Amino acid sequence: MRSTRHGWNWVPCNAKRMRVCFSCPLKEMCCAYRKQEVERYPKKKEKKPVPVRHGAASIVTCGSRTLMVRRRPEGFLGGLWEYPGYTLKKETADPQYLASFLEDNYLEIIKKSETSVRHAYSHFIQHIDLYCASVKGKWENGYWDKARWVNTEDIRSLPRSGLAIKIGKIAEAL
């Protein structure tokens, strides 16, 4: 901190990290140096907690093919391919929403994976439960931009988010 004729202003200081206050040209104007309180500055800003969102993804296979869906081009992660699923702005699973999602998309759970996926973005964290699922009757795409049955080895060539890549690695092991 240094004095100006308009009051006190903060000057960026690396002293805490560099431990070089004694050679700083501004040390005579520095309140922290004069009061021997260098360790207290600069004060760290308090970080806001990052919101957590919970969701589910379905790994739907038919022989050696896997169902992949493409997000609509507008919005977050637009145009990327992913496993059919959803994310809610809730910190815990919502069994009623899962049941509704499965029914609306003609899917039924074969088994729940013991592994879930955690993926962090700059503004939220996702926790995704994974389910092995199958199509009930004829599957129709009602939400996504496109849907495609893809050979397992061709999934890697699709543009996917970091989350979809993580899910893919787990899907390969199932």
Side-chain angles (χ1 to χ4, degrees):
M1 214 169 24
R2 67 182 172 93
S3 173
T4 67
R5 55 192 165 130
H6 303 290
W8 293 97
N9 286 334
W10 287 100
V11 172
C13 179
N14 288 342
K16 191 171 186 178
R17 189 179 78 234
M18 304 293 287
R19 307 278 188 234
V20 291
C21 289
F22 63 91
S23 63
C24 178
L26 301 174
K27 71 180 179 186
E28 299 306 321
M29 294 185 283
C30 178
C31 290
Y33 181 80
R34 283 197 313 253
K35 293 180 180 181
Q36 297 179 351
E37 296 178 343
V38 174
E39 292 298 319
R40 293 182 55 203
Y41 301 98
K43 292 182 180 178
K44 287 186 179 182
K45 290 182 182 177
E46 236 180 81
K47 290 184 180 180
K48 291 181 184 176
V50 179
V52 176
R53 297 180 181 179
H54 199 89
S58 304
I59 301 165
V60 184
T61 57
C62 182
S64 65
R65 298 180 313 152
T66 302
L67 180 61
M68 297 295 290
V69 294
R70 189 171 77 181
R71 296 174 74 98
R72 297 178 188 273
E74 63 278 347
F76 186 64
L77 303 176
L80 296 179
W81 291 85
E82 62 187 5
Y83 295 85
Y86 62 88
T87 301
L88 301 173
K89 292 183 179 180
K90 294 184 174 186
E91 289 195 28
T92 58
D94 184 339
Q96 291 177 327
Y97 192 89
L98 174 63
S100 174
F101 171 81
L102 294 168
E103 185 177 322
D104 292 348
N105 290 281
Y106 307 99
L107 299 173
E108 64 183 345
I109 295 172
I110 297 170
K111 71 174 185 174
K112 181 179 181 189
S113 172
E114 294 176 14
T115 307
S116 63
V117 178
R118 178 189 182 278
H119 190 74
Y121 294 98
S122 61
H123 52 295
F124 68 92
I125 296 171
Q126 278 182 300
H127 286 280
I128 304 294
D129 292 328
L130 302 179
Y131 297 90
C132 293
S134 63
V135 175
K136 226 175 19 175
K138 184 179 179 219
W139 189 82
E140 293 180 26
N141 178 17
Y143 173 75
W144 293 277
D145 185 45
K146 282 189 179 178
R148 181 188 306 175
W149 288 95
V150 182
N151 288 327
T152 306
E153 58 273 3
D154 294 335
I155 290 175
R156 289 186 194 98
S157 66
L158 296 174
R160 299 169 292 152
S161 67
L163 176 63
I165 291 168
K166 287 179 182 179
I167 294 170
K169 288 178 182 175
I170 294 168
E172 288 175 7
L174 294 177

